[in-house]
Amino acid sequence: MGSLRGLQYALSFHSRSSPSTIYPTTDAHPERESQDTHLLADLQRLHEFGNYLSAGWLQKALEMCLSMHREVQQIFPQIRQAVQRQNSKWMDETLDDTVKLLDVCNALREYMRDIKQYQEKLHLVIHMLNGPIGPWQLGRARIALGSLCELPAKATEPPQNKSRLENCSSVLRRMGGKLAAPCAGGELVEPIHAAMDLTVFVCDLLLVALSFRSRRSLPLPCSGHSTWGGALQALQLKVKEEVDKRRNKGIVCVLLDELFAVESASQSVNDLLKRFLNSKSVPLKEAQDLELRQSVVCLKNCVAELEDGMAFIESQINELFEVIIGGRMALLDALTYS
């Protein structure tokens, strides 16, 4: 598995037209068709990239979400009048959806901190086994790593109450069902609808891919209601197929490629430690020492891959939080002066 460094710019999304020419205040179907064509091309790139449960793919999907939200803010002066003409129900629902997405971003940021702590504990184990390996190092590393290896197994037990991540997933699924309907706000506010729709899908996938404890698959994709809606539906279906395929293979705990690699590598080191200690093979023979050190190097490399991916995803989630706030403020401003 190659390094994830630099993957954040591996997929170059298209250059957008000038905001002043995309969405005039009167209906302009050719421009809307052009926008749909661009959005369709972006979704197709995500579709063709594959590796839907890798950090690299999630980075690209998040970058597309950010691009769409930023574009909405750029064209907002041109669609302000269309926003102001919407009925109060549309405005209330859209503002409510932004609050829900902000809550999801906060839940994801909290979970990213949990993953950081998991990585830090693995670094401690790696440090213990980097120098001379004696009985003390083996015993301490076995205790520390054993508790970490038990995390995924324990996490699969159904909790008494839904976790915050699971609650957020349920909220996103309800939002996705509602957004599947044709945009109630009309054609000129369709970019807002599109940005929300894609964000719901990507955030739901993040909740499934990053969680040790989630047994839930992605929901069936909703019917597409436009050119880009059909492309998003096809992408959702492919991602769902991949998730379900891994579920059927028994990979219940960990779906993200990099997280699964770390879990597998840590389990391999833990198995060696357990075997050596149970057989009282201390001090280790030369072949045993080499086998253990090779496993530790593999774990170290997997942790580095995970850290590279998570660092950029965390940064993107923070950016998404800020850009959603910006969009919400623009809507509130339009409501105030309507």
Side-chain angles (χ1 to χ4, degrees):
M1 181 162 35
S3 172
L4 286 169
R5 298 183 190 279
L7 269 177
Q8 55 265 36
Y9 50 78
L11 179 63
S12 175
F13 290 111
H14 63 270
S15 298
R16 306 292 187 175
S17 301
S18 170
S20 62
T21 62
I22 298 180
Y23 292 106
T25 55
T26 59
D27 291 340
H29 296 288
E31 286 78 1
R32 286 294 300 118
E33 291 175 0
S34 175
Q35 177 68 15
D36 282 352
T37 300
H38 288 313
L39 185 51
L40 177 62
D42 284 349
L43 288 168
Q44 186 62 32
R45 292 189 189 199
L46 283 177
H47 187 100
E48 293 173 353
F49 182 73
N51 299 322
Y52 306 116
L53 294 172
S54 69
W57 192 91
L58 289 171
Q59 289 171 14
K60 292 167 175 58
L62 278 166
E63 181 56 40
M64 186 174 175
C65 287
L66 288 167
S67 176
M68 292 177 68
H69 281 283
R70 288 170 180 148
E71 187 170 285
V72 168
Q73 292 185 23
Q74 289 175 354
I75 66 172
F76 202 84
Q78 283 73 48
I79 65 172
R80 178 188 293 272
Q81 292 182 13
V83 170
Q84 291 172 339
R85 288 195 297 267
Q86 303 311 311
N87 59 48
S88 59
K89 180 181 178 182
W90 181 89
M91 183 67 79
D92 289 344
E93 288 183 350
T94 304
L95 288 170
D96 185 53
D97 286 345
T98 62
V99 172
K100 292 173 182 175
L101 288 178
L102 290 173
D103 190 54
V104 170
C105 287
N106 273 329
L108 285 169
R109 293 199 293 189
E110 288 181 8
Y111 192 70
M112 295 300 291
R113 287 193 285 269
D114 292 340
I115 293 180
K116 274 186 179 179
Q117 292 179 359
Y118 176 68
Q119 293 170 165
E120 289 169 0
K121 291 176 181 178
L122 287 171
H123 275 301
L124 180 61
V125 172
I126 292 169
H127 178 73
M128 290 178 186
L129 299 174
N130 250 345
I133 302 176
W136 184 88
Q137 287 82 3
L138 287 175
R140 290 295 299 274
R142 170 71 182 91
I143 293 172
L145 194 55
S147 63
L148 289 176
C149 289
E150 291 172 1
L151 276 177
K154 289 181 177 178
T156 61
E157 298 172 2
Q160 293 295 327
N161 299 310
K162 287 184 178 180
S163 68
R164 186 178 181 189
L165 289 180
E166 289 170 327
N167 286 332
C168 286
S169 184
S170 297
V171 167
L172 287 173
R173 287 156 201 257
R174 289 193 293 270
M175 286 179 62
K178 181 180 65 176
L179 289 168
C183 180
E187 182 180 354
L188 290 179
V189 296
E190 178 71 18
I192 298 175
H193 186 95
M196 301 284 279
D197 209 350
L198 181 63
T199 303
V200 166
F201 164 60
V202 174
C203 286
D204 199 13
L205 179 57
L206 280 168
L207 291 171
V208 171
L210 296 180
S211 178
F212 274 121
R213 61 195 287 169
S214 175
R215 285 178 176 269
R216 302 181 67 177
S217 181
L218 292 172
L220 287 171
C222 300
S223 304
H225 49 80
S226 64
T227 303
W228 65 263
L232 179 57
Q233 179 190 20
L235 181 62
Q236 287 175 303
L237 185 59
K238 291 297 293 184
V239 175
K240 183 182 185 304
E241 288 175 353
E242 179 62 25
V243 171
D244 290 345
K245 181 171 69 174
R246 298 196 186 192
R247 299 285 192 201
N248 294 335
K249 288 182 178 180
I251 308 175
V252 176
C253 304
V254 184
L255 287 173
L256 183 72
D257 288 344
E258 290 77 8
L259 201 54
F260 178 72
V262 167
E263 194 273 333
S264 298
S266 62
Q267 187 62 60
S268 296
V269 174
N270 186 57
D271 290 344
L272 285 177
L273 294 174
K274 185 178 180 180
R275 173 156 59 89
F276 294 156
L277 288 169
N278 287 345
S279 65
K280 303 188 186 306
S281 301
V282 182
L284 298 180
K285 297 178 181 178
E286 183 176 348
Q288 292 172 325
D289 184 87
L290 178 60
E291 183 180 12
L292 178 58
R293 291 186 185 280
Q294 288 175 338
S295 293
V296 171
V297 169
C298 178
L299 174 59
K300 183 178 180 180
N301 291 338
C302 289
V303 172
E305 290 281 345
L306 178 64
E307 286 179 327
D308 282 352
M310 293 301 98
F312 194 68
I313 287 176
E314 181 180 25
S315 172
Q316 288 178 306
I317 292 171
N318 289 334
E319 289 182 51
L320 184 60
F321 183 87
E322 296 299 328
V323 81
I324 291 173
I325 287 180
R328 177 177 172 79
M329 295 301 294
L331 285 172
L332 288 169
D333 182 65
L335 180 62
T336 301
Y337 292 100
S338 61

